[in-house]
Amino acid sequence: PQQILSRFAKDGTAVLFVNMSLAPIGKCFADEEEAGQEVKIGKLDDNIFQIWLSTVDRINIYQDKISEGDLQNMLLGLKYVLEGISPIEIIYVVQFPGWADLALALRKEVDGKLVFDCMDEHSGFNNNSEMVLQDEEKLFQNSDLVITTSAKLNEKASYRNKNTILVRNGSDFDFFNRLVANGELDDIKKPIIGYYGAISDWFDIDIVYKCAKERPDWNFVLIGSTMGCDTSKLDKMMNVKLLGEKPYKDLPG
């Protein structure tokens, strides 16, 4: 998602990224003006901005259904921002189904195109509820364009939306073609089996454990957030290193 949207920004399009952290304030806003007083905006890069919105209650967009009050607060906040900058054209890009109700409500209020960037088979995650699958279905049915990352997802989406295209996952070749060691792995003996990316509940900890146990002379280096994943099985493995999340700019090193 970052790669696609950063290219839009380089071409001169303003990108407004809604932060997943939503601030609970315990009340419903009366109007856009009141909502606007609570909206926070920060600049991430040229043409890329981050927006913090307020809800009534504390919610986790990955797991919780957006209530009417929470939806109204976020809707008023985004309307305040969009009407303040008066964009020529708007494209709403949704990557996680939990945002479906907000995106569909916002498109009704402030006209624009809706793109569902379908990157995952959500029915394959054991922490996704039936509600997430229902929201995914709403996006399939109501988006102006669906982007998929695999043949399987493309087939699934095409049945539901004729405006579906396949854009496979790729690599930022130029970025990873300039490899300069940064010292992070200097003390780790080769061979190194490396991974970077999310380490969540779907991550196969057992296969890492099995391989590390059978190859004690190999070092397994895992880089990424372990939120939602029980990694305790690996904690006593001397040849498994969990380095946590690292800045994207440091990964080539």
Side-chain angles (χ1 to χ4, degrees):
Q2 301 96 317
Q3 300 290 353
I4 290 176
L5 294 173
S6 65
R7 297 322 190 268
F8 279 116
K10 285 177 183 174
D11 285 344
T13 299
V15 175
L16 308 179
F17 167 68
V18 178
N19 194 286
M20 302 292 285
S21 300
L22 302 163
I25 59 167
K27 67 172 183 176
C28 292
F29 295 129
D31 51 37
E32 288 173 36
E33 198 63 37
E34 186 183 0
Q37 304 308 310
E38 297 291 337
V39 172
K40 294 179 176 60
I41 301 177
K43 186 174 181 180
L44 293 174
D45 207 338
D46 290 342
N47 294 330
I48 304 179
F49 302 88
Q50 188 165 202
I51 298 175
W52 285 268
L53 298 174
S54 297
T55 52
V56 179
D57 301 305
R58 187 177 302 280
I59 66 169
N60 179 338
I61 201 70
Y62 283 114
Q63 298 172 339
D64 302 329
K65 181 71 177 172
I66 300 176
S67 71
E68 282 300 318
D70 294 331
L71 180 65
Q72 190 66 10
N73 273 16
M74 291 191 285
L75 189 60
L76 288 171
L78 285 172
K79 282 179 67 180
Y80 177 87
V81 173
L82 292 175
E83 288 170 6
I85 58 179
S86 300
I88 298 168
E89 183 183 9
I90 300 174
I91 301 172
Y92 299 112
V93 181
V94 178
Q95 270 116 10
F96 183 72
W99 294 111
D101 287 346
L102 177 60
L104 291 167
L106 190 58
R107 185 177 62 171
K108 276 185 183 176
E109 299 276 337
V110 186
D111 190 39
K113 300 290 187 184
L114 176 58
V115 175
F116 177 29
D117 185 12
C118 179
M119 300 178 288
D120 294 306
E121 177 56 86
H122 291 286
S123 62
F125 293 90
N126 62 28
N127 63 338
N128 272 347
S129 65
E130 183 63 30
M131 179 184 66
V132 170
L133 303 183
Q134 291 170 3
D135 286 338
E136 179 186 58
E137 192 62 37
K138 288 181 195 173
L139 290 169
F140 280 141
Q141 299 289 349
N142 294 287
S143 293
D144 297 289
L145 174 69
V146 178
I147 302 172
T148 58
T149 54
S150 72
K152 182 180 178 183
L153 288 174
N154 194 63
E155 183 180 5
K156 174 181 174 179
S158 296
Y159 284 127
R160 295 162 169 81
N161 191 314
K162 61 181 176 58
N163 250 2
T164 295
I165 60 172
L166 174 61
V167 181
R168 295 184 186 277
N169 287 323
S171 177
D172 187 348
F173 180 82
D174 291 336
F175 183 69
F176 287 102
N177 195 38
R178 298 188 298 272
L179 303 181
V180 179
N182 58 18
E184 287 268 1
L185 306 182
D186 284 358
D187 297 330
I188 301 176
K189 186 181 175 184
K190 292 182 179 180
I192 293 173
I193 312 302
Y195 169 86
Y196 55 78
I199 302 170
S200 194
D201 71 304
W202 45 261
F203 189 88
D204 197 339
I205 288 291
D206 290 337
I207 203 167
V208 176
Y209 177 81
K210 175 180 168 61
C211 292
K213 195 171 182 182
E214 292 190 8
R215 294 289 187 273
D217 54 330
W218 295 3
N219 279 298
F220 294 77
V221 178
L222 309 181
I223 296 174
S225 168
T226 58
M227 184 182 292
C229 185
D230 181 5
T231 61
S232 57
K233 200 169 188 178
L234 305 178
D235 289 345
K236 294 180 181 178
M237 304 289 292
M238 298 301 294
N239 60 331
V240 178
K241 320 291 182 186
L242 291 160
L243 302 189
E245 218 165 14
K246 299 290 180 183
Y248 183 73
K249 64 181 177 57
D250 293 345
L251 292 180

